Amino acid sequence: MQIYEELVERGLIAQVTDEEVIKDLINNGKATFYIGFDPTADSLHVGHFMALCLMKRLQMAGNKPIALIGGGTGMIGDPSGRSDLRQMLTKEDIQHNCDCFKEQMSRFIDFSEGKALMVNNADWLLDLNYIELLRDVGTHFSVNRMLTAECYKQRMEKGLSFLEFNYMIMQAYDFYKLYEDYGCNLEFGGDDQWSNMLAGTELIRRKLGKDASAMTINLLLNSEGKKMGKTAKGAVWLDANKTTPFEFFQYWRNIDDADVIKCLKMLTFLPLDEIDKMAKWEGAELNKAKEILAHELTEMIHGKEEADKALEAAKQLFSSGNAADMPTYTIEDSIVTDGEVGLLNLLTASGLTATNSDARRAIVNDGSISIDGEKVTDFKASLKVADIPDEGIIIKKGKKHFRKILK
């Protein structure tokens, strides 16, 4: 099985401009492809993880990846999938985030000479002359056609700013620039980027009379159609200082049964025939598949030593029947205020502590409270109910008392 057919089998490919052209490019190692990463935070997260896996797969097949850091587009903000305006970042914030991205990607992609490139679109976007851009690039874009793009629809309801409206033009210009300077003939991105990517192929065709290709990958969604990579505390980050290796491991160990095989196919490098065998597992065997998934992904991001430690810690957590016998508490409306539940109220309502005063002592004096393996030190902490994953979170008091919290 060649790489394109494997990507199809793993459920990764969503849309392509010309399947036969793309198949020939990547199966024969002729693709110089790019994926863009806007530096809106100081760490990559699970939402970027599949793109990194794809880059690694294609590089292993002899293709050349370009990681495009959006130091320029990050100053505008991608409106795709947004109903609100993104927070404006300073140049200093963006540069710091870019530096963090470079370090994380370098641990994942082989950037040795000739094998991959890392470039920053600030190098060309920030020096553009506005009048020249309007004349040379703006004339190739139809406003009527742009307004039909899926990426603008949600923002149109609340008011799409002219700043955001330019994002498609900037992304299209990136592809054009990478084609001219680096021979980049293929763009990859999430399925929500399709309109922006087509704009790039069209700009290359109009300005250079050349054909370029685009391919989108399926977004990482759970069985209910929601984006994966969120916990009660927010995004699942690849930075160990923001999401510990144990928390990262536990996120994948606790996903729904219906999502295990899909994640094994899309995110790991395990052979497909091995994953197909796991698809027949049930009960305790399916839990073993979750452990395999969690260990594989944790090792890819944090290394084998951290993955082994996380696995051992998880086994200790659920030893002696704790997992099977763990009491469950579903959050009641009576303790929720404005969509949030205070940790003290949650500890008491779930039965882990007798009173809120006991809960406060457990946090402040004893340091015995942890959520999904991370110690809690702020007794004023609260959780957004909507951010609690469907599989729940685990609150631990001391070594022997647990509650699975469901929303």
Side-chain angles (χ1 to χ4, degrees):
M1 183 185 298
Q2 292 185 281
I3 183 63
Y4 184 85
E5 287 72 22
E6 182 179 346
L7 296 180
V8 172
E9 185 68 21
R10 288 182 179 273
L12 287 166
I13 297 179
Q15 300 181 81
V16 294
T17 48
D18 187 316
E19 186 174 47
E20 291 305 314
V21 170
I22 292 176
K23 187 186 299 186
D24 175 63
L25 284 174
I26 67 175
N27 280 348
N28 294 295
K30 298 188 296 185
T32 297
F33 67 95
Y34 95 90
I35 299 179
F37 300 84
D38 272 354
T40 53
D42 59 1
S43 171
L44 297 166
H45 53 69
V46 163
H48 299 114
F49 192 34
M50 194 156 60
L52 292 172
C53 289
L54 181 64
M55 294 175 78
K56 187 177 181 71
R57 292 184 204 278
L58 293 176
Q59 186 179 51
M60 290 169 63
N63 298 285
K64 183 177 181 178
I66 299 176
L68 178 67
I69 306 296
T73 43
M75 299 192 72
I76 295 177
D78 182 3
S80 301
R82 303 283 297 191
S83 58
D84 58 335
L85 182 65
R86 289 186 185 271
Q87 181 180 354
M88 298 289 284
L89 299 174
T90 66
K91 288 184 179 180
E92 292 74 23
D93 288 337
I94 290 172
Q95 186 57 54
H96 171 71
N97 294 348
C98 287
D99 294 339
C100 294
F101 278 23
K102 287 180 181 179
E103 182 180 350
Q104 289 181 335
M105 288 181 188
S106 295
R107 296 199 302 265
F108 207 84
I109 306 299
D110 182 3
F111 284 102
S112 58
E113 188 172 355
K115 293 195 175 178
L117 290 172
M118 186 176 291
V119 295
N120 189 329
N121 64 15
D123 293 342
W124 55 82
L125 291 181
L126 298 188
D127 291 332
L128 285 175
N129 179 286
Y130 186 61
I131 299 299
E132 289 180 4
L133 179 70
L134 289 177
R135 290 173 59 88
D136 295 342
V137 178
T139 55
H140 299 298
F141 285 82
S142 162
V143 171
N144 289 349
R145 186 174 178 183
M146 290 174 70
L147 289 176
T148 64
E150 191 66 33
C151 62
Y152 290 138
K153 286 184 178 178
Q154 282 186 291
R155 291 292 296 123
M156 286 287 287
E157 295 176 5
K158 288 192 174 182
L160 176 71
S161 72
F162 183 69
L163 177 75
E164 295 169 292
F165 187 62
N166 277 269
Y167 191 90
M168 180 185 289
I169 299 175
M170 297 294 97
Q171 185 169 332
Y173 188 82
D174 283 343
F175 196 2
Y176 162 75
K177 188 70 174 173
L178 292 172
Y179 186 100
E180 270 206 313
D181 292 356
Y182 302 103
C184 180
N185 51 21
L186 182 61
E187 179 182 1
F188 282 108
D191 202 31
D192 55 349
Q193 294 290 314
W194 185 239
S195 298
N196 293 342
M197 294 162 71
L198 289 181
T201 62
E202 181 69 8
L203 182 61
I204 291 169
R205 187 186 66 79
R206 286 174 174 267
K207 284 188 67 66
L208 302 175
K210 304 289 187 179
D211 290 324
S213 301
M215 183 179 95
T216 63
I217 52 179
N218 285 307
L219 299 175
L220 191 60
L221 306 176
N222 64 17
S223 54
E224 296 181 345
K226 299 177 182 177
K227 281 188 178 181
M228 297 183 72
K230 286 281 189 179
T231 69
K233 295 183 289 182
V236 180
W237 302 98
L238 306 191
D239 184 341
N241 294 317
K242 296 170 77 72
T243 298
T244 67
F246 179 77
E247 289 177 298
F248 188 84
F249 180 97
Q250 282 295 95
Y251 175 80
W252 299 108
R253 173 60 183 80
N254 292 329
I255 64 172
D256 288 344
D257 292 355
D259 297 321
V260 181
I261 300 303
K262 176 177 66 178
C263 288
L264 281 166
K265 285 185 174 182
M266 297 177 85
L267 297 174
T268 77
F269 289 79
L270 294 174
L272 284 167
D273 57 354
E274 189 176 326
I275 297 172
D276 289 338
K277 291 177 184 176
M278 293 186 210
K280 300 174 183 177
W281 292 358
E282 296 179 352
E285 283 188 318
L286 193 55
N287 285 331
K288 178 62 176 176
K290 291 183 181 182
E291 282 188 357
I292 292 171
L293 170 68
H295 189 276
E296 287 287 321
L297 300 187
T298 306
E299 182 175 344
M300 288 167 65
I301 298 300
H302 299 294
K304 187 176 187 303
E305 182 179 352
E306 290 294 342
D308 289 345
K309 285 165 58 177
L311 176 60
E312 183 59 30
K315 286 181 175 179
Q316 290 179 8
L317 178 65
F318 293 105
S319 63
S320 305
N322 280 330
D325 301 332
M326 188 184 303
T328 298
Y329 171 72
T330 301
I331 297 174
E332 302 169 83
D333 292 340
S334 59
I335 65 170
V336 177
T337 303
D338 295 330
E340 296 189 358
V341 57
L343 181 57
L344 296 182
N345 288 335
L346 184 57
L347 288 167
T348 303
S350 66
L352 275 172
T353 58
T355 65
N356 281 15
S357 296
D358 289 338
R360 178 170 176 169
R361 280 192 293 272
I363 296 171
V364 177
N365 298 339
D366 302 337
S368 60
I369 303 298
S370 64
I371 299 178
D372 281 345
E374 183 171 340
K375 184 177 178 180
V376 178
T377 57
D378 182 8
F379 71 90
K380 296 181 181 179
S382 61
L383 305 178
K384 289 185 178 180
V385 177
D387 287 344
I388 296 177
D390 295 336
E391 66 272 13
I393 58 173
I394 295 172
I395 298 184
K396 179 181 175 183
K397 179 190 174 191
K399 294 183 178 180
K400 298 182 179 180
H401 302 286
F402 304 85
R403 288 292 186 279
K404 177 177 276 192
I405 307 297
L406 302 174
K407 61 183 177 181

